[in-house]
Amino acid sequence: MNALLIFAGAAGLFLGHAGAWGQIPALVLLAPFCIFLLAVGAATPGRAFCRSWLCGTLGYSAALYWIAVPVTEVGGLPMIAAVPLVILLGAYLGLFSGLAGLAAWSLQRFFAGRKAGLLWAGLICGPAFAGLEVLCGFLFTGFPWLVPAAAFVPLPDWIQAAALVGAYGLGGIYCAGACLCAAAGLEAGRRRLAPLLLGLLLIVAPPVYGHLRLVDWKEDPGPAVNIGLVQGNVDQNQKWEPVFQSRTIAHYLQLSQNLIDEAAARGERPVAVFWPETAMPFYFAYEPDKADILRGFALRNAVDLGFGTVGARRDEKGRLQLYNRFQVVGPDGGDVGYYDKQHLVPFGEYVPLNLDLAFVSAMLQGVPFAPGRVHGPLRLPLDDPTADAPRAENPGGTPPLLTSGARFPKRELALGVLICYEAIFPEYAQARVTRGAQVLLNISNDAWFGRTSSPLQHLHLAALRAVEQGRPLVRVTNTGYSAVIDAAGRIGKPRSGLFTDDAFVVAVHPRAEPTLYHRLHGYVEDFLLAAAALALFLHPVTRRFRRPGSYATAL
């Protein structure tokens, strides 16, 4: 029976989240359901932990199989060496499942023999499990990838409550419902009715609320902003080669020019065009010949041009620091501003503990980054500063230049930038909106992971940030998926495919009203962490005694 529960819970993690073979979102609830049964059926806390850890390890390892792709195709390790690395990451994440099992065991022991004891144990397990997800989000730089709420992104009704309690809190509600349903199976007769009904209520209430919210959904009355997204689909292993640099620039310029011309013919001309993370493989600030090509394009087309590139500056000791940067050139050809990525990917953008490993050096491709400093939103002009401005003569077809009489823009778009997997952390989107962001932008390069489920899982996590903050999110990547996500977390069309050249215009409605979750962000996470700490604290208190009514022999 225990083996069946372990494999069922692992299968729920694997099949509930986006996968290369499809997805059944509701199956993700099998994980907390099975962990609760595994834990309360254990005779000792050690067994509760080990069973739950094994369940999580198998599920996470299977769902994160795509980690092996960059390790083998970029790092150069053979598959026989890459598989243990995937299992090692799965085993680490499984530790949080083990702690969840330990929390369930402790709660069951504490409430054993009390009236409605299993009901209380199952109910508190929900926020306790969610608190452990919060812990996973910041411990050792954090990796909150397969959070329960992300599984429900394909069902927009099911994620709307994230605007109230965040993705972690929403996951806690669903986990509480699953644990209560598991508790009902351990009760006898009419005693199982209360936990069963309460569990089903907790599972059904969020989508009912979400349906009502979407029925009454209204975009802000202000005009939509057209933004062009360009997915270049450039080979990850070639674009840094000098011979391919000019070709990469020309490729993006051609896709963008076609996009602008076609959109203008339809009356959908974009005010800005965005390219993915590290789309431009050169040092923008130190290679003016290449930078001037991009400035000229923005000037000729009177658009804001935003693109991923490599930033550089010297620190206090004169050492050159490199940054994963999003740079914006304005419609007058000048610099609007930039954002440097703050949360770097371990082993992908820097080496933790200065480990000297050949495959890590290969994945860094010779460009270790430094974390950026705190920046407010980038403010893009929405008015064309060239519309009513006198222009200088431009003989010979050179780009027209603005004279000193050019008008300054009157309207702005406050853009909160999230580079790559910064979109999986709620606190970064929270910080952008706190500083005034009206629209979130996620640029990424998921080419590292090939045709796996990683890009779709990443897209789903980004959608949660849109719901939490009540902001539309624009996403553009090198190889897919590029899309616009509205403030309700609905992924719009068109949406790019994987490994295709694509360029299209999306319409976004900037928003300024904060969500309840945005106002309560810190309190929600603190409550969940406190619930987890309380559940785990009960373990040393209860291990010395065993109340009548324990379920240690029930399974």
Side-chain angles (χ1 to χ4, degrees):
M1 183 63 175
N2 288 326
L4 180 61
L5 289 173
I6 288 171
F7 282 104
L13 274 174
F14 176 63
L15 297 174
H17 289 279
W21 303 276
Q23 178 185 10
I24 307 175
L27 289 183
V28 77
L29 299 180
L30 276 176
F33 180 92
C34 293
I35 286 174
F36 185 86
L37 292 178
L38 288 167
V40 303
T44 66
R47 290 182 182 179
F49 177 88
C50 290
R51 292 173 182 176
S52 303
W53 170 80
L54 183 57
C55 177
T57 296
L58 292 175
Y60 287 123
S61 298
L64 297 173
Y65 72 95
W66 44 263
I67 293 291
V69 175
V71 173
T72 55
E73 296 188 3
V74 182
L77 282 185
M79 185 60 71
I80 195 172
V83 170
L85 293 178
V86 175
I87 296 175
L88 184 63
L89 177 59
Y92 164 70
L93 295 176
L95 292 176
F96 296 94
S97 298
L99 290 175
L102 187 59
W105 184 91
S106 299
L107 289 167
Q108 180 270 318
R109 286 304 181 94
F110 181 79
F111 287 107
R114 303 173 189 265
K115 186 177 181 180
L118 273 178
L119 184 149
W120 283 107
L123 184 63
I124 299 174
C125 272
F129 287 11
L132 292 169
E133 294 282 358
V134 176
L135 185 65
C136 180
F138 66 80
L139 197 63
F140 304 121
T141 79
F143 189 62
W145 191 268
L146 297 173
V147 297
F152 294 101
V153 168
L155 308 172
D157 290 357
W158 289 66
I159 61 172
Q160 297 309 303
L164 305 177
V165 295
Y168 292 134
L170 179 58
I173 293 173
Y174 286 133
C175 285
C179 290
L180 283 167
C181 289
L186 297 175
E187 293 283 18
R190 293 185 177 181
R191 294 177 60 185
R192 69 178 56 182
L193 194 59
L196 178 62
L197 291 178
L198 182 56
L200 292 176
L201 176 64
L202 289 176
I203 293 174
V204 172
V208 170
Y209 164 78
H211 177 74
L212 296 175
R213 184 175 191 248
L214 292 180
V215 166
D216 293 333
W217 182 264
K218 295 179 181 178
E219 294 289 358
D220 279 5
V225 177
N226 290 331
I227 295 175
L229 306 181
V230 179
Q231 179 173 300
N233 190 31
V234 176
D235 191 315
Q236 179 69 19
N237 295 315
Q238 291 183 348
K239 68 179 183 179
W240 290 99
E241 297 293 334
V243 68
F244 289 102
Q245 286 182 328
S246 296
R247 189 180 303 176
T248 298
I249 295 172
H251 179 58
Y252 270 98
L253 290 175
Q254 187 61 58
L255 287 174
S256 301
Q257 191 64 62
N258 293 343
L259 166 71
I260 292 172
D261 293 343
E262 293 171 6
R266 299 192 304 268
E268 300 175 353
R269 194 178 189 284
V271 299
V273 175
F274 296 147
W275 299 346
E277 178 187 18
T278 60
M280 294 292 97
F282 66 90
Y283 301 97
F284 180 80
Y286 292 94
E287 299 184 59
D289 54 336
K290 296 183 178 68
D292 285 346
I293 297 175
L294 305 186
R295 296 184 192 279
F297 176 86
L299 184 59
R300 285 192 302 274
N301 291 282
V303 296
D304 287 290
L305 179 63
F307 49 90
T309 185
V310 179
R313 68 166 169 257
R314 297 196 177 275
D315 61 15
E316 295 79 4
K317 297 182 180 179
R319 296 171 299 190
L320 187 66
Q321 298 286 334
L322 304 181
Y323 299 90
N324 188 343
R325 176 169 293 179
F326 178 72
Q327 177 80 43
V328 179
V329 174
D332 59 355
D335 293 343
V336 172
Y338 63 85
Y339 166 76
D340 291 335
K341 186 178 181 183
Q342 297 173 338
H343 197 125
L344 303 178
V345 181
F347 303 107
E349 292 174 315
Y350 76 101
V351 183
L353 305 176
N354 294 318
L355 297 175
D356 187 13
L357 302 173
F359 79 94
V360 172
S361 299
M363 289 195 295
L364 288 174
Q365 295 188 332
V367 188
F369 291 112
R373 301 174 181 177
V374 177
H375 290 275
L378 295 176
R379 299 188 179 276
L380 278 56
L382 292 181
D383 293 324
D384 181 2
T386 70
D388 301 312
R391 295 177 179 271
E393 294 298 325
N394 56 328
T398 57
L401 302 176
L402 292 181
T403 69
S404 58
R407 293 183 180 179
F408 293 98
K410 297 182 178 63
R411 297 188 301 135
E412 293 181 325
L413 174 66
L415 192 68
V417 182
L418 304 167
I419 297 182
C420 190
Y421 93 149
E422 285 181 330
I424 77 174
F425 298 95
E427 59 268 25
Y428 289 105
Q430 174 82 15
R432 306 296 180 266
V433 173
T434 298
R435 293 183 174 91
Q438 302 163 319
V439 173
L440 298 174
L441 169 67
N442 177 214
I443 64 169
S444 190
N445 180 18
D446 292 340
W448 302 96
F449 307 107
R451 297 181 181 276
T452 67
S453 57
S454 173
L456 190 53
Q457 291 173 4
H458 198 177
L459 177 67
H460 287 174
L461 287 161
L464 292 177
R465 307 291 83 84
V467 185
E468 287 175 337
Q469 301 300 326
R471 296 292 185 272
L473 185 146
V474 178
R475 188 166 192 267
V476 58
T477 75
N478 180 30
T479 55
Y481 295 100
S482 301
V484 64
I485 303 168
D486 73 1
R490 293 173 293 192
I491 301 170
K493 294 182 179 179
R495 187 187 82 177
S496 71
L498 279 181
F499 291 93
T500 59
D501 299 359
D502 210 345
F504 50 90
V505 174
V506 297
V508 298
H509 292 266
R511 298 175 71 92
E513 183 67 24
T515 61
L516 180 64
Y517 171 73
H518 178 82
R519 295 188 179 100
L520 301 178
H521 167 74
Y523 298 105
V524 172
E525 271 69 16
D526 288 347
F527 170 76
L528 298 176
L529 286 170
L534 174 65
L536 292 172
F537 176 75
L538 290 176
H539 167 220
V541 173
T542 58
R543 66 182 178 180
R544 295 180 179 276
F545 62 93
R546 185 173 177 181
R547 291 183 177 276
S550 169
Y551 292 84
T553 59
L555 297 178

